[in-house]
Amino acid sequence: MDKLYSVTELARDLGVTPRTVRFYEDQGLILPQRAGNTRIYTHRDRARMILILRGKRLGFSLKEIKEFLDLYVVDTTQVEQLQLLATKVRGRIALLEDQLLAVQTSLTELRDIERMTLDALRSKGVNSA
Amino acid sequence: MDKLYSVTELARDLGVTPRTVRFYEDQGLILPQRAGNTRIYTHRDRARMILILRGKRLGFSLKEIKEFLDLYVVDTTQVEQLQLLATKVRGRIALLEDQLLAVQTSLTELRDIERMTLDALRSKGVNSA
DNA sequence: CCCCAGGTTTCCCTGTACGTCACCTTGGTA
DNA sequence: TACCAAGGTGACGTACAGGGAAACCTGGGG
């Protein structure tokens, strides 16, 4: 336990590139210790990275993730943080629900187009595979 | 019939900005006549614009749309064009089906998080609106 | 002594679809 | 004739999430 990681190790461990990890630092999302110039990551940093990646996977922007993680540090009771999280999550849910509808609409329209296209091809004597 | 449009008219008619229409020209998607320097759009150009916007709405990139419209001009039998369309449409359908799943997964995960968040807040004596 | 692996910084590049700005022309109107 | 609105061009900015490459440093091994 208390394993320490280099950028490369941490990155490989999490399935991202070192460039990405450094980029997140640039954006203020993580602040590893240094040994001289070399970045040193603890298991806490690793956990933080995992949170970041989870946020990304769920569609949050790096800015939103930062905003959220920043609160985590400041807000010891975590009430404010949880409230922000709840709000953001609800927003995201609403957005995804819209997106779901949009995708379904597009799918319908595309399937219509596909059918018409194949009909047109058949009427020209071309049979589709 | 045979109404002619200025950029501004056409743009307003289609719910985009003149900038957008000119941009599409830059990208080789439309090539209106000119009276001197002034762009003049016919109802054919308008129809073409509508096709472009429809493509966009369905998630195709301008490059794909161009590729497709270019074939329309060259390919008089339209067989090749229809085949390209069918392929592209199928690709888009596949992509959207994946996306649908991804969105549904995210939604599930987000609803879990929302529930957990609200529980946590309640356990801290905070009641949500 | 030299070289390599792996670390560092800094800066520019990518794609997408326009928005914005500055500046120039032109046609019509008062 | 003075002027404005609407047209034009060209260049640069925007957002997002990094990728890529140059140029440097550093420690360890042979």
Side-chain angles (χ1 to χ4, degrees):
Chain A
M1 317 302 127
D2 284 73
K3 186 177 180 340
L4 298 179
Y5 303 81
S6 71
V7 230
T8 324
E9 280 177 328
L10 182 64
R12 191 171 31 224
D13 186 29
L14 299 179
V16 298
T17 68
R19 181 71 177 83
T20 301
V21 178
R22 294 198 195 97
F23 179 72
Y24 289 173
E25 181 175 344
D26 239 49
Q27 305 302 306
L29 290 165
I30 19 165
L31 196 65
Q33 299 170 253
R34 300 264 178 151
N37 254 352
T38 302
R39 294 165 171 83
I40 306 291
Y41 299 86
T42 68
H43 72 287
R44 295 187 60 92
D45 293 320
R46 184 172 176 280
R48 196 173 168 98
M49 270 299 296
I50 290 177
L51 277 183
I52 294 170
L53 295 176
R54 186 174 191 209
K56 273 209 43 185
R57 196 165 38 74
L58 291 175
F60 294 100
S61 73
L62 294 185
K63 198 192 290 185
E64 285 175 309
I65 295 172
K66 172 174 166 47
E67 184 181 354
F68 170 63
L69 288 177
D70 284 354
L71 260 192
Y72 190 80
V73 172
V74 174
D75 173 25
T76 51
T77 74
Q78 297 193 350
V79 167
E80 208 181 331
Q81 185 212 13
L82 287 169
Q83 282 171 337
L84 175 64
L85 180 55
T87 302
K88 290 277 180 187
V89 164
R90 265 195 292 269
R92 193 89 249 283
I93 288 175
L95 209 147
L96 284 184
E97 281 169 348
D98 286 359
Q99 206 176 316
L100 202 61
L101 281 181
V103 168
Q104 283 165 344
T105 305
S106 283
L107 269 177
T108 304
E109 192 167 344
L110 283 168
R111 292 201 177 103
D112 283 356
I113 294 180
E114 187 190 12
R115 199 171 324 110
M116 287 164 37
T117 306
L118 295 184
D119 285 356
L121 279 172
R122 255 190 299 278
S123 84
K124 289 179 189 296
V126 184
N127 40 352
S128 48
Chain B
M1 313 299 129
D2 285 70
K3 186 176 182 337
L4 299 178
Y5 303 80
S6 71
V7 230
T8 324
E9 279 177 328
L10 182 66
R12 193 172 27 224
D13 186 29
L14 299 179
V16 299
T17 68
R19 179 71 179 89
T20 301
V21 178
R22 295 199 194 98
F23 179 74
Y24 289 173
E25 181 174 346
D26 239 49
Q27 304 302 305
L29 291 165
I30 19 164
L31 198 64
Q33 300 170 254
R34 299 265 179 151
N37 252 354
T38 303
R39 294 166 171 83
I40 306 291
Y41 299 87
T42 68
H43 73 285
R44 293 185 61 90
D45 294 319
R46 183 171 176 282
R48 198 174 166 96
M49 270 299 295
I50 290 176
L51 277 182
I52 294 170
L53 294 177
R54 186 171 191 215
K56 271 209 43 184
R57 197 164 38 74
L58 291 175
F60 295 100
S61 72
L62 294 184
K63 198 191 290 184
E64 284 175 311
I65 295 172
K66 172 173 168 46
E67 184 181 354
F68 171 64
L69 288 177
D70 284 354
L71 261 191
Y72 190 81
V73 172
V74 174
D75 174 22
T76 50
T77 73
Q78 299 192 350
V79 166
E80 208 181 331
Q81 185 212 13
L82 286 169
Q83 282 172 337
L84 174 63
L85 180 55
T87 302
K88 290 279 183 185
V89 164
R90 265 194 293 270
R92 193 91 252 280
I93 288 175
L95 211 146
L96 284 184
E97 281 170 346
D98 285 0
Q99 206 175 317
L100 201 61
L101 281 180
V103 169
Q104 282 164 345
T105 305
S106 283
L107 269 177
T108 304
E109 193 167 342
L110 283 169
R111 291 199 178 105
D112 283 357
I113 293 180
E114 187 190 13
R115 199 171 326 110
M116 285 164 38
T117 306
L118 295 184
D119 285 356
L121 279 173
R122 255 191 299 279
S123 85
K124 289 179 189 298
V126 184
N127 39 352
S128 49

